[in-house]
């Protein structure tokens, strides 16, 4: 019998060191950190060769975030950030995992390691299989692996008993084949990482503007008057964005930052490509910082809207763009009527911000025409997340700051192709128009019933309504909420399969049987029957471009994601008229099929070979809102937070460290917050700590409260920090166990990882 394995990261401390929080970001320390990771993982010579090809027009796309590359000139050597260098170092590591490793270490032994330790074991070099009741993974051939999966899938009572998850790093070509295979198999169960991150953005923007993507380009940052960054920490999560903010600032733009934590990356910046700027105080970025309470965003934005309305009433036509509003929008009267039902005095306590500061923010918006508003998961992972984004859109619509140069919406996506995967059809509820075209081009009847998103998929596995889990990349158990519940769900499956480059915790939280299928990394050559191939990706701003690795693969026994999908399809589908072998023999054939299926990909193979790629159509960018229900841009009515805390309760949000990207942990430091060599920490307001008689670095246990349920995470070190009262922050995945699965955003069903109600008990 397999012994119980650990779903959560182990409750062990690693020796915390606190240092003074730096006053500036990037600069020489970022370069030193990046080079240190490169040296340790791949060596300096090989590493420099890698980095010179990273994000270049003839190189490979960063496997980290989806921030766009410049359309024209790119930096000769350093068109990447510190965390991009770390991501490449992790992928190209010299460390290897093969059959002897798995023979040596049992699943139970691997589960005792931290997520950092698991990730550092190295690249997986061959497929491995864990039979039912076994304690160790063992070598398996690709043919046998595909057949094993096919047999399991084909014995299901319904295709809907299988879950096919996708990570945001999957290329366009692999994602298109993957969704095609899944739909030919007969289900729309295609949950993906967007369900947990930016699903709220897609829902809100589709309703109000007609497209679930942002409307600005990178060049818009060169022409804007005001940039508002809300619920986002670019310095850690999208560091190259700081360059865009820096250039905008030099051109006269103002920058407003709204966040519960004063993140160093948005306060001061030292250009890593200009050594002359390393000396001195650096460049101040933020002109106005509003330290909002967690989930106080709608209340704050409503106050701003009320102040805008008041100024418009005092001086008609001075604030609102009535020409734009009249021609392009619908619903302004209902919005203004709703605003009258709120008083500033009733909204102010939710924000935690002095009224004078909010008045400054309103004045900046009132006095500027071209406004870009950027956001990330600090906005999208709340119960009223869709309201957050619709309220942002309300401000932009009143100002006419949509569909013009230097103005618009900028949801900043995470993984490098998460937006492209959705474009390719990775969604559990793709529209009928997409499915109709898919049927025509591939001669099959596509399923129409909506599939499971991430939350519903976990519930289905937990109740044994779903029996097979297939993960195309990612680290499902560590990325999802409610760790113990999710772990039980995976363990209930007959088979779990993970396509991966490296070992992660999801490989030790498995079904009755389990497979790990190793795939190529972005930096590696992809050679198929007709020769070397390239793939394509779509960045945060809708640019589709090529990515081609140049490294020798880590093993002769790893396959590309596209080849894995094709192998699985050939083994599983008995009546498919698709020639899967031909499609992967030359990825141009896949792109031809994408072109025939999806609007905006005309002459795909020709245009993707143009250096820098091409922009997909974006009606919002063109001031066209035909795709909304009304055919116009829609104002909306939104509600502030309804959370009421007791005296001894706190709101907890989960955040990343600077040495982390999603569930990949590069190191144990959070340099910009002054925390070194430790992840099991909770940031608290100093006065809150005093009330609970908690001293700095006291050990505490955390309990989350939801609908009478309690979840526990034990052994966290308390750190006093500049954070609003009754607000706390912890790192994920360590605190994911506290996030209730059923606590989700209205409409989007995104887990509320930024608004978890907890109590804190000192050991």
């Amino acid at each position: 019998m397999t012994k119980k394995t650990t779903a959560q990261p182990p409750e062990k401390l690693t020796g915390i060191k606190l240092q003074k929080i730096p006053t500036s970001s990037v600069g020489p320390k970022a370069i030193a950190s990046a080079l240190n990771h490169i040296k340790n993982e791949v060596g300096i010579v090989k590493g420099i060769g890698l980095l010179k090809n990273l994000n270049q027009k003839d190189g490979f796309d960063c496997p980290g975030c989806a921030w766009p590359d410049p359309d024209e000139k790119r930096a000769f050597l350093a068109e990447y950030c510190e965390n991009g260098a770390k991501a490449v170092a992790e992928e190209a590591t010299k460390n290897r995992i093969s059959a002897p490793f798995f023979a040596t270490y049992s699943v139970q032994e691997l589960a005792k390691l931290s997520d950092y330790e698991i990730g550092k074991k190295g690249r997986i070099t061959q497929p491995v299989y864990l039979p039912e009741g076994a304690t160790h993974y063992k070598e398996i051939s690709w043919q046998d692996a595909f057949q094993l999966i096919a047999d399991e899938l084909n014995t299901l009572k319904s295709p809907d008993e299988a879950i096919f998850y996708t990570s945001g790093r999957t290329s366009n070509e692999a994602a298109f084949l993957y969704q095609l295979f899944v739909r030919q198999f007969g289900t729309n169960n295609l949950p993906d990482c967007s369900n947990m991150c930016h699903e709220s953005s897609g829902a809100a923007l589709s309703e109000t503007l007609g497209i679930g993507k942002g409307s600005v380009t990178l060049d818009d940052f060169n022409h804007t008057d005001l940039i508002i960054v809300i619920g986002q920490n670019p310095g850690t999560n999208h560091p190259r964005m700081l360059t865009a903010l820096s250039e905008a600032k030099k051109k006269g733009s103002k920058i407003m930052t709204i966040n519960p934590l004063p993140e160093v990356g948005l306060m001061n910046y030292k250009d890593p490509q200009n050594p002359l700027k390393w000396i001195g105080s650096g460049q101040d970025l933020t002109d106005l910082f509003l330290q909002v309470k967690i989930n106080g965003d709608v209340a704050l934005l409503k106050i701003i809207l009320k102040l805008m309305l008041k100024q418009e009433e005092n001086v008609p036509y001075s604030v609102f763009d009535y020409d734009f509003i009249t021609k392009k929008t619908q619903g302004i009267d209902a919005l203004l009527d709703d605003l009258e039902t709120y008083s500033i005095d009733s909204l102010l306590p939710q924000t935690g911000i002095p009224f004078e500061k909010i008045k400054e923010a309103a004045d900046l918006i009132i006095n500027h025409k071209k406004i870009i508003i950027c956001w990330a998961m600090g906005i999208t992972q709340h119960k009223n997340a869709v309201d957050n984004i619709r309220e942002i859109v309300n401000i932009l619509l009143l100002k006419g700051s949509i569909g013009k140069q230097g103005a618009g919406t900028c949801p900043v996506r995470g993984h490098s192709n998460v937006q492209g995967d959705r474009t390719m059809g990775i969604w559990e509820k793709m529209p009928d128009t997409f499915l109709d075209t898919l049927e025509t081009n591939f001669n099959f009847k596509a399923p129409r019933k909506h599939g499971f998103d991430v939350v519903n998929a976990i519930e289905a596995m937990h109740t044994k309504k779903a029996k097979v889990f297939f993960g195309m990349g990612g680290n499902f158990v560590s990325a999802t909420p409610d760790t113990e519940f999710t772990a039980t769900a995976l363990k209930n499956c007959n088979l779990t399969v993970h396509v991966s480059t490296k070992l992660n915790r999801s490989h030790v939280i498995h079904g009755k049987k389990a497979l790990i299928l190793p795939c190529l990394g972005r930096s590696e050559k992809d050679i198929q029957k007709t020769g070397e191939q390239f793939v394509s990706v779509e960045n945060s701003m809708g640019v589709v471009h090529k990515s081609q690795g140049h490294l020798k693969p880590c093993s002769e026994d790893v396959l590309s994601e596209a080849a894995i999908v094709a192998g699985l399809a050939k083994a599983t589908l008995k009546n498919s008229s698709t020639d899967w072998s031909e499609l992967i023999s030359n990825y141009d054939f896949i792109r031809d099929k994408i072109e025939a299926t999806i609007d905006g990909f005309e002459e795909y193979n020709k245009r993707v070979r143009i250096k820098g790629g091409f922009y997909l159509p974006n009606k919002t960018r063109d001031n066209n809102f035909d795709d909304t229900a009304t055919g116009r841009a829609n104002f909306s009515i939104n509600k502030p937070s309804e959370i009421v805390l007791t005296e001894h309760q706190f709101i907890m949000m989960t955040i990343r460290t600077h040495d982390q990207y999603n569930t990949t942990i590069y190191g144990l430091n959070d340099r910009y917050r002054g925390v070194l060599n430790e992840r099991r920490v909770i940031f608290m307001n100093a006065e809150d700590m005093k009330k609970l008689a908690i001293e700095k670095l006291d050990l505490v246990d955390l309990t989350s409260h939801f609908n009478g349920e309690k979840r526990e995470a034990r052994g966290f070190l308390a750190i006093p920090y500049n954070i609003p009262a009754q607000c706390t922050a912890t790192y994920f995945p360590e605190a994911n166990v506290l996030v209730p699965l059923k606590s989700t955003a209205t409409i989007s069903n995104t887990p509320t990882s930024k608004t978890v109600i907890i109590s804190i008990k000192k050991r």
Side-chain angles (χ1 to χ4, degrees):
M1 290 291 292
T2 303
K3 296 181 180 179
K4 182 179 179 182
T5 51
T6 304
Q8 300 176 53
E11 297 174 11
K12 62 182 181 182
L13 301 177
T14 47
I16 192 169
K17 298 177 183 178
L18 298 179
Q19 67 176 18
K20 185 178 179 181
I21 297 172
T23 56
S24 63
S25 62
V26 195
K29 288 187 177 180
I31 295 173
S33 173
L35 290 177
N36 188 56
H37 279 81
I38 287 289
K39 180 185 71 174
N40 292 338
E41 294 285 358
V42 299
I44 289 294
V45 175
K46 181 180 177 182
I48 294 298
L50 266 174
L51 295 179
K52 74 177 184 180
N53 287 286
L54 180 58
N55 293 326
Q56 298 297 333
K57 292 180 179 180
D58 289 321
F60 63 97
D61 192 59
C62 180
C65 81
W67 187 254
D69 307 308
D71 288 336
E72 303 301 331
K73 184 179 178 181
R74 299 186 184 176
F76 170 68
L77 179 61
E79 193 56 68
Y80 55 86
C81 68
E82 174 187 352
N83 278 354
K86 293 175 185 175
V88 170
E90 284 277 319
E91 181 178 279
T93 180
K94 57 182 176 289
N95 299 325
R96 300 286 185 266
I97 295 176
S98 56
F101 172 90
F102 288 106
T104 303
Y105 296 98
S106 70
V107 171
Q108 187 181 20
E109 289 173 316
L110 292 172
K112 293 178 181 178
L113 302 176
S114 69
D115 287 53
Y116 170 70
E117 292 168 328
I118 291 175
K120 288 299 180 186
K121 293 302 179 184
R123 287 289 300 274
I124 305 167
T125 59
Q126 61 192 117
V128 290
Y129 171 49
L130 185 70
E132 185 170 1
T135 58
H136 292 68
Y137 279 98
K138 64 179 185 179
E139 183 179 0
I140 188 173
S141 70
W142 279 105
Q143 182 177 351
D144 288 347
F146 290 142
Q147 193 58 54
L148 190 154
I149 301 167
D151 290 344
E152 201 70 45
L153 290 175
N154 286 324
T155 57
L156 296 174
K157 292 180 181 179
S158 164
D160 291 331
E161 290 184 336
I163 306 293
F164 297 93
Y165 175 76
T166 318
S167 157
R169 282 172 60 171
T170 305
S171 69
N172 283 347
E173 291 75 11
F176 184 80
L177 289 191
Y178 189 48
Q179 64 81 30
L180 176 64
F181 157 67
V182 171
R183 291 191 166 101
Q184 287 193 11
F185 177 65
T187 184
N188 282 312
N189 286 346
L190 282 159
D192 73 328
C193 56
S194 283
N195 295 153
M196 295 179 287
C197 303
H198 267 286
E199 200 68 58
S200 300
S201 297
L205 294 174
S206 295
E207 176 190 339
T208 56
L209 302 176
I211 184 171
K213 304 178 182 181
S215 67
V216 300
T217 68
L218 187 57
D219 184 61
D220 282 314
F221 283 77
N222 294 318
H223 303 281
T224 188
D225 299 327
L226 173 64
I227 301 168
I228 302 173
V229 181
I230 179 170
Q232 185 196 359
N233 176 19
T236 286
N237 300 328
H238 314 92
R240 284 198 299 158
M241 181 177 173
L242 298 182
T243 301
L245 296 178
S246 172
E247 292 302 313
K249 187 82 174 182
K250 291 174 186 176
K251 292 178 172 66
S253 176
K254 297 290 186 181
I255 298 176
M256 182 195 311
T257 300
I258 303 171
N259 204 53
L261 297 177
E263 302 288 9
V264 173
L266 276 167
M267 298 304 167
N268 189 278
Y269 170 73
K270 290 184 177 180
D271 186 348
Q273 297 187 29
N274 189 346
L276 295 177
K277 301 290 185 181
W278 297 352
I279 302 170
S281 58
Q283 180 190 20
D284 290 333
L285 293 180
T286 294
D287 295 283
L288 178 65
F289 172 53
L290 302 182
Q291 190 169 20
V292 67
K293 286 185 175 180
I294 296 173
N295 201 212
D297 306 284
V298 171
L300 170 61
L301 296 172
K302 278 198 184 300
I303 295 173
I304 291 173
L305 283 166
K306 287 182 70 68
L307 293 173
M308 292 168 64
L309 175 58
K310 181 179 179 181
Q311 179 64 16
E312 176 64 29
E313 290 172 340
N314 290 340
V315 186
Y317 304 102
S318 65
V319 181
F320 297 172
D321 186 340
Y322 275 110
D323 182 58
F324 173 84
I325 291 168
T326 302
K327 292 178 180 178
K328 296 291 185 179
T329 73
Q330 180 163 307
I332 185 173
D333 291 337
L335 170 68
L336 299 183
D337 288 345
D338 182 69
L339 282 176
E340 294 293 349
T341 67
Y342 293 91
S343 71
I344 290 177
D345 288 342
S346 68
L347 295 168
L348 200 57
Q350 278 197 39
T351 71
I353 304 169
F355 175 73
E356 293 74 18
K357 279 270 190 182
I358 301 178
K359 180 68 167 60
E360 285 184 58
D363 287 343
L364 277 173
I365 293 171
I366 287 168
N367 293 320
H368 292 90
K369 279 285 187 183
K370 295 186 290 184
I371 303 169
I372 295 173
I373 304 185
C374 311
W375 68 89
M377 288 187 288
I379 288 296
T380 65
Q381 292 183 323
H382 302 278
K383 183 172 180 58
N384 63 339
V386 173
D387 292 62
N388 284 339
I389 298 153
R390 292 189 307 204
E391 206 76 299
I392 287 170
V393 172
N394 282 339
I395 288 177
L396 293 173
L397 292 180
L398 287 174
K399 293 293 296 182
S401 288
I402 290 283
K404 64 176 61 170
Q405 189 180 51
T409 55
C410 184
V412 184
R413 309 282 177 168
H415 261 151
S416 58
N417 197 41
V418 64
Q419 187 160 296
D421 286 351
R422 181 59 56 87
T423 302
M424 292 297 106
I426 301 293
W427 195 26
E428 71 277 1
K429 45 189 177 186
M430 286 298 287
D432 285 340
T433 51
F434 176 90
L435 299 176
D436 290 343
T437 310
L438 205 63
E439 287 183 348
T440 300
N441 290 332
F442 292 96
N443 191 30
F444 78 107
K445 191 68 176 175
R448 300 290 168 143
K449 184 179 74 172
H450 288 174
F452 295 135
D453 62 14
V454 164
V455 169
N456 293 329
I458 294 170
E459 290 175 331
M461 291 186 288
H462 199 274
T463 57
K464 301 183 180 180
K465 291 180 180 178
K467 297 179 173 62
V468 174
F469 175 88
F470 190 102
M472 180 60 74
N475 179 1
F476 192 78
V477 77
S478 291
T480 49
D482 220 338
T483 308
E484 294 298 349
F485 190 94
T486 299
T488 299
L490 289 169
K491 291 175 183 178
N492 283 344
C493 290
N494 293 333
L495 174 67
T496 51
V497 185
H498 295 277
V499 177
S500 304
T501 55
K502 300 184 70 180
L503 200 65
N504 63 53
R505 188 163 299 280
S506 292
H507 302 144
V508 299
I509 305 299
H510 53 78
K512 295 181 179 67
K513 294 174 282 187
L515 282 164
I516 306 174
L517 307 180
C519 66
L520 292 171
R522 283 271 178 87
S523 56
E524 293 172 319
K525 291 180 180 179
D526 183 350
I527 300 175
Q528 301 298 334
K529 186 176 180 180
T530 62
E532 194 169 337
Q533 307 297 312
F534 68 86
V535 296
S536 57
V537 295
E538 177 186 345
N539 66 35
S540 249
M541 294 177 183
V543 179
V544 176
H545 59 99
K546 66 181 290 190
S547 173
Q548 188 165 15
H550 71 282
L551 287 183
K552 180 181 178 182
C554 69
S555 162
E556 293 181 355
D557 209 13
V558 299
L559 298 179
S560 72
E561 289 177 314
I564 291 172
V565 174
L568 180 57
K570 288 188 289 184
T572 305
L573 304 175
K574 304 305 180 186
N575 300 307
S576 175
S577 61
T578 303
D579 190 337
W580 298 92
S581 295
E582 180 186 41
L583 285 175
I584 64 160
S585 69
N586 187 324
Y587 293 176
D588 279 0
F589 299 151
I590 305 175
R591 287 185 283 270
D592 285 339
K593 293 295 187 180
I594 294 171
E595 177 183 336
T597 306
I598 304 173
D599 289 341
F601 286 87
E602 295 79 11
E603 297 186 303
Y604 192 1
N605 275 308
K606 178 181 178 181
R607 291 195 293 160
V608 79
R609 285 174 164 84
I610 298 171
K611 290 188 176 183
F614 60 94
Y615 281 89
L616 289 176
N618 188 308
K619 287 186 176 181
T620 300
R621 193 175 289 160
D622 298 331
N623 242 327
N624 182 336
F625 309 106
D626 287 350
D627 291 336
T628 68
T630 64
R632 287 171 165 256
N634 295 309
F635 287 101
S636 56
I637 307 302
N638 304 296
K639 293 183 179 180
S641 173
E642 297 176 345
I643 293 174
V644 178
L645 299 175
T646 67
E647 183 181 359
H648 297 299
Q649 287 184 335
F650 303 84
I651 299 180
M652 182 196 81
M653 62 178 180
T654 59
I655 59 176
R656 297 172 181 158
T657 69
H658 192 63
D659 257 359
Q660 174 182 5
Y661 196 80
N662 292 343
T663 59
T664 302
I665 299 169
Y666 308 129
L668 298 177
N669 297 334
D670 195 358
R671 188 172 76 245
Y672 290 162
R673 297 189 184 104
V675 179
L676 307 181
N677 202 46
E678 187 56 74
R679 296 185 53 82
R680 298 189 72 83
V681 303
I682 179 168
F683 297 104
M684 297 181 64
N685 177 281
E687 290 301 314
D688 288 337
M689 291 178 65
K690 189 180 296 184
K691 290 176 183 177
L692 295 179
I694 295 173
E695 301 289 337
K696 182 168 72 173
L697 298 185
D698 274 352
L699 203 60
V700 299
D701 297 329
L702 314 177
T703 303
S704 72
H705 306 268
F706 177 76
N707 287 354
E709 303 168 352
K710 293 183 179 180
R711 292 163 178 79
E712 292 189 344
R714 297 173 55 81
F716 285 72
L717 296 169
I719 297 178
Y721 207 79
N722 184 1
I723 190 171
Q726 287 192 283
C727 295
T728 66
T730 54
Y731 300 137
F732 75 85
E734 285 77 10
N736 280 4
V737 65
L738 298 172
V739 184
L741 186 73
K742 293 183 183 297
S743 179
T744 60
T746 304
I747 300 177
S748 68
N749 208 34
T750 295
T752 59
S753 298
K754 292 291 189 288
T755 42
V756 182
I757 309 305
I758 66 166
S759 57
I760 303 170
K761 184 178 180 181
K762 180 179 175 179
R763 283 277 180 97

